[in-house]
Amino acid sequence: TILVLDFGSQYSHLITRRLREFNIYAEMLPCTQKISELSWKPKGVILSGGPYSVYEDGAPHVDHDVFALDVPILGICYGMQELAWINGKQVARGEKREYGPATLNVVDKVSPLFQGVDHSRVWMSHGDKLHGLPTGFKVIATSDNSPYCGISHESKPIYGIQFHPEVTHSTHGKILLKNFAVDLCHAQQNWTMENFIDTEIQRIRNLVGPTAEVIGAVSGGVDSTVASKLMTEAIGDRFHALLVDNGVLRLNEAAMVKETLGDGLGINLTVVDASEEFLSKLKGVADPEKKRKIIGNTFIHVFEREAAKIKPRDGKDIEFLLQGTLYPDVIESISFKGPSQTIKTHHNVGGLLEDMKLKLIEPLRELFKDEVRHLGELLGIPHDLVWRHPFPGPGIAIRVLGEVTPSQVQIARMADHIYIEEIKRAGLYHKIAQAFACLLPVKSVGVMGDQRTYEQVIALRAIETSDFMTADWFPFEHDFLKRVASRIVNEVDGVARVTYDITSKPPATVEWE
Ligand code: XMP
């Protein structure tokens, strides 16, 4: 195992991710980790980048015992400056920030670290820089702007690099990380998702102990299902899953979740029907952010109330809360770039922690979505669920534009159901990242039989995207759209017209609200 000590860079987790692409296991711990308190001996240590300046008061520093481990050490960006600070304090603010690509020029052609990466593009992102060589170090690589782009100790396997090999903009960066882990640290390349399951189950058991109990919300989505299944494998019925039916779920969703998770996967699941409570609170509210807030707060309220009804066998309170947090959520929450402007407040259950005094378990926090899906398949979760499109926490409430009433929800739900059914039938479901129907709060004139109709409009949306930050609309065949439109108008009461949304993100967002 390679130990990654995290100094807070938004890229830190990518280091473990890249190593895993070579089946090398790496564990990330905070930079303040005491080496004497580690229960295992790393084969090598990587010091990550970070948003601080090593010379500032309060800047984080590594436990010097790391050098007594006598294993190879690689400092990246802040990590390299930390090495320089410890060995002669040769760090200062640069005249200007260096941000963007540079070309790596390897000086020490035989350095094991740089085999196969000479002249490649590397990504820089730093304000501070070395203004001299730390004591006992030599230069092993340069770039146009950085005379100290790569350094190494004269006699020990201690390396520093100014750029970020973990980001894909550094074209050969992952080779460098592999060189470090395999050629210098002799780490084994035997990490697999199967091993992850075993170690994670063991970690959960150690964390929870022999009697404590855990609760977690499930939604019918991939992340909460995978997290719950893993938890069930680890502690069985001491894990309690709760599905809150908020009245704005998809058609038959609660029953489907009960069947797949409860009956099929053996998860100890309770379904709570709180639809009326949610819908009555949503009455008269048309503003999307208000809707989100109401749903978020009501969820916390209902979850706490229902959780209190679950009585653990040892008579004590439930101690832990399971969350299906993924790596991208983690980056977002630790990003040091400052809060970005809120376009939409995305629902999360963070509020539960403060109120319920629960300890958090996040077994998926190291994983990317594709890894979670792989894990889900290995855990025996049905393929269709593993590859399901994402569904927002506020559900159909943000797909019924304007005020949410039970009858409006029903219209949107039926239209959505038909749309998704046709997408699946056409074999397109997995080619599309997300698809749904929205009910627009406008009426339009139509004619059915000999009757004039005056009813609402459904807008269909389907997007292609890899990260949901940008997206393009999906180019359906005209016949497909014709079929869906005709079915919706014929089968869903209250709809007289169907449109297809052909806006990309940006400028539009994925959801209409
Ligand atoms: P937007 O509309 O922001 O959507 O372009 C990007 C992705 O986020 C989902 N989304 C939400 N998910 N709570 C959620 O859990 C929300 O309030 C929310 N709003 C949008 C959206 O479905 C898409 O996948």
Side-chain angles (χ1 to χ4, degrees), residues 288-289 292-293 343-348 389-395 398-399 433-434 436 461 463 465 467-471 505 508-513:
E289 285 302 288
R292 280 191 170 81
K293 235 173 226 126
I343 314 262
K344 298 176 188 183
T345 51
H346 285 199
H347 168 70
N348 67 59
H389 292 173
F391 184 71
I398 55 168
R399 293 172 177 178
Q434 195 173 10
F436 55 88
R461 184 122 170 95
I463 54 148
T465 178
D467 57 6
F468 295 89
M469 303 295 286
T470 61
K505 170 182 182 175
T509 52
V510 175
E511 302 289 345
W512 276 53
E513 285 197 333

Side-chain angles (χ1 to χ4, degrees), residues 181-242:
V182 176
D183 299 332
L184 286 161
C185 305
H186 308 293
Q188 288 177 339
Q189 290 179 267
N190 60 0
W191 187 86
T192 59
M193 199 48 96
E194 284 87 348
N195 294 346
F196 173 84
I197 296 180
D198 293 341
T199 45
E200 198 52 35
I201 286 177
Q202 209 44 57
R203 199 184 69 88
I204 293 169
R205 286 184 183 147
N206 292 342
L207 195 67
V208 175
T211 57
E213 311 226 345
V214 181
I215 191 163
V218 293
S219 65
V222 190
D223 308 342
S224 62
T225 305
V226 171
S228 296
K229 180 63 181 163
L230 199 57
M231 207 53 152
T232 303
E233 296 282 322
I235 61 165
D237 277 1
R238 284 192 286 135
F239 171 62
H240 308 264
L242 207 58

Side-chain angles (χ1 to χ4, degrees), residues 396 399-400 408-417 437 439 458:
I396 290 182
R399 293 172 177 178
V400 166
Q408 293 287 81
V409 170
Q410 193 54 17
I411 295 174
R413 196 177 257 163
M414 292 305 297
D416 188 73
H417 184 73
L439 179 61
I458 282 285

Side-chain angles (χ1 to χ4, degrees), residues 72-325:
I73 295 176
L74 173 65
I76 295 174
C77 198
Y78 182 95
M80 154 157 144
Q81 289 154 14
E82 174 72 354
L83 291 173
W85 190 245
I86 294 166
N87 294 284
K89 302 201 166 16
Q90 303 279 16
V91 184
R93 173 145 299 280
E95 301 86 68
K96 56 180 198 298
R97 266 177 65 82
E98 189 183 7
Y99 183 82
T103 301
L104 183 69
N105 175 33
V106 175
V107 177
D108 180 359
K109 304 280 185 202
V110 296
S111 169
L113 191 63
F114 291 128
Q115 293 311 304
V117 299
D118 200 4
H119 303 304
S120 64
R121 192 180 76 172
V122 294
W123 195 259
M124 297 286 191
S125 175
H126 60 108
D128 291 341
K129 61 177 197 178
L130 265 58
H131 61 76
L133 263 180
T135 318
F137 281 76
K138 61 181 181 187
V139 171
I140 54 171
T142 61
S143 73
D144 288 349
N145 284 320
S146 289
Y148 307 108
C149 189
I151 59 170
S152 76
H153 193 273
E154 302 269 9
S155 57
K156 297 179 200 158
I158 302 178
Y159 299 85
I161 50 179
Q162 186 57 73
F163 55 92
H164 287 272
E166 68 276 25
V167 303
T168 48
H169 302 298
S170 290
T171 52
H172 293 52
K174 66 182 199 179
I175 298 176
L176 184 149
L177 289 171
K178 173 177 159 260
N179 290 345
F180 175 73
V182 176
D183 299 332
L184 286 161
C185 305
H186 308 293
Q188 288 177 339
Q189 290 179 267
N190 60 0
W191 187 86
T192 59
M193 199 48 96
E194 284 87 348
N195 294 346
F196 173 84
I197 296 180
D198 293 341
T199 45
E200 198 52 35
I201 286 177
Q202 209 44 57
R203 199 184 69 88
I204 293 169
R205 286 184 183 147
N206 292 342
L207 195 67
V208 175
T211 57
E213 311 226 345
V214 181
I215 191 163
V218 293
S219 65
V222 190
D223 308 342
S224 62
T225 305
V226 171
S228 296
K229 180 63 181 163
L230 199 57
M231 207 53 152
T232 303
E233 296 282 322
I235 61 165
D237 277 1
R238 284 192 286 135
F239 171 62
H240 308 264
L242 207 58
L243 173 73
V244 176
D245 183 346
N246 58 13
V248 284
L249 300 177
R250 284 164 285 196
L251 190 69
N252 300 330
E253 180 75 2
M256 198 283 287
V257 173
K258 179 98 190 103
E259 191 183 314
T260 332
L261 273 66
D263 307 340
L265 294 170
I267 294 169
N268 176 13
L269 171 73
T270 307
V271 176
V272 177
D273 182 2
S275 341
E276 276 177 26
E277 194 169 341
F278 280 86
L279 290 171
S280 73
K281 292 219 168 103
L282 285 167
K283 208 168 168 189
V285 181
D287 178 75
E289 285 302 288
K290 284 201 184 117
K291 290 195 230 173
R292 280 191 170 81
K293 235 173 226 126
I294 290 170
I295 291 172
N297 292 340
T298 310
F299 176 84
I300 291 174
H301 179 73
V302 172
F303 188 89
E304 284 179 9
R305 184 182 68 212
E306 297 302 321
K309 294 183 187 164
I310 295 171
K311 290 290 166 227
R313 268 158 291 185
D314 63 359
K316 291 197 219 130
D317 292 334
I318 287 180
E319 253 183 74
F320 295 90
L321 175 70
L322 172 71
Q323 275 193 348
T325 319

Side-chain angles (χ1 to χ4, degrees), residues 473-486 500:
W473 53 278
F474 187 79
F476 285 119
E477 302 277 335
H478 292 180
D479 280 349
F480 173 85
L481 291 169
K482 211 184 263 183
R483 192 160 60 241
V484 176
S486 140
Y500 185 53

Side-chain angles (χ1 to χ4, degrees), residues 393-461:
I396 290 182
I398 55 168
R399 293 172 177 178
V400 166
L401 274 60
E403 190 187 348
V404 181
T405 63
S407 59
Q408 293 287 81
V409 170
Q410 193 54 17
I411 295 174
R413 196 177 257 163
M414 292 305 297
D416 188 73
H417 184 73
I418 292 170
Y419 181 39
I420 299 297
E421 193 171 77
E422 287 296 332
I423 287 177
K424 286 188 175 159
R425 194 170 286 164
L428 297 172
Y429 190 78
H430 298 308
K431 298 200 170 105
I432 294 169
Q434 195 173 10
F436 55 88
C438 271
L439 179 61
L440 310 189
V442 284
K443 287 197 166 184
S444 131
V445 173
V447 53
M448 274 183 110
D450 290 330
Q451 295 287 311
R452 174 187 188 273
T453 58
Y454 186 51
E455 289 181 314
Q456 291 181 96
V457 183
I458 282 285
L460 304 175
R461 184 122 170 95

